[in-house]
């Protein structure tokens, strides 16, 4: 990689405020806020609205759409127009 053109890549804590969950990872995101992590070091913290802990898809609370009913309704509504 060329030096000087890429953002700094380092440890950052992402904190999900909805679920009161935080995890340490590496990222190019930065923040003025800091947090003292479990290992005693201080890292920048980025607050996020949703993560894998609070997202409905990952928690199993996602709604399943009735796609079969939608297809049948579409065929009932528009199949006769194409046949004439």
């Amino acid at each position: 990689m060329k030096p000087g053109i890429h953002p700094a890549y380092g440890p950052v804590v992402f904190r999900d405020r909805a679920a009161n969950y935080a995890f340490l990872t590496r990222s190019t995101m930065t923040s003025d806020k800091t947090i003292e992590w479990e290992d005693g070091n201080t890292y920048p913290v980025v607050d996020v609205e949703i993560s894998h802990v609070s997202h409905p898809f990952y928690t199993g609370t996602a709604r399943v759409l009735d796609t079969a009913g939608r297809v049948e309704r579409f065929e009932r509504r528009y199949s006769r127009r194409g046949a004439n």
Side-chain angles (χ1 to χ4, degrees), residues 1-2 4-5 8 10-11 17 21 25 27-28 30 38 41 45 48-49 52 59-60 67-68 71-73 79 81:
M1 294 192 315
K2 287 185 177 180
I5 63 169
R17 293 299 224 163
Y21 177 77
T25 186
S27 177
T28 58
T30 60
E38 300 160 354
N41 294 328
V45 63
V48 294
E49 295 179 21
H52 70 282
T59 60
T67 55
V71 171
E72 291 168 0
R73 186 173 36 183
S79 64
R81 288 187 185 176

Side-chain angles (χ1 to χ4, degrees), residues 38-54:
E38 300 160 354
D39 61 2
N41 294 328
T42 302
Y43 299 107
V45 63
V46 176
D47 290 326
V48 294
E49 295 179 21
I50 197 161
S51 71
H52 70 282
V53 175
S54 61

Side-chain angles (χ1 to χ4, degrees), residues 4-82:
I5 63 169
H6 299 285
Y9 184 72
V12 177
V13 174
F14 286 93
R15 181 171 50 190
D16 182 352
R17 293 299 224 163
N20 196 22
Y21 177 77
F23 57 95
L24 177 66
T25 186
R26 294 177 53 95
S27 177
T28 58
M29 292 189 71
T30 60
S31 176
D32 294 333
K33 298 181 204 174
T34 59
I35 189 171
E36 187 171 332
W37 194 242
E38 300 160 354
D39 61 2
N41 294 328
T42 302
Y43 299 107
V45 63
V46 176
D47 290 326
V48 294
E49 295 179 21
I50 197 161
S51 71
H52 70 282
V53 175
S54 61
H55 193 280
F57 178 79
Y58 294 105
T59 60
T61 59
R63 295 184 319 157
V64 176
L65 297 176
D66 180 24
T67 55
R70 288 182 175 195
V71 171
E72 291 168 0
R73 186 173 36 183
F74 177 82
E75 288 177 350
R76 269 197 321 267
R77 186 178 292 168
Y78 296 110
S79 64
R80 297 180 191 231
R81 288 187 185 176

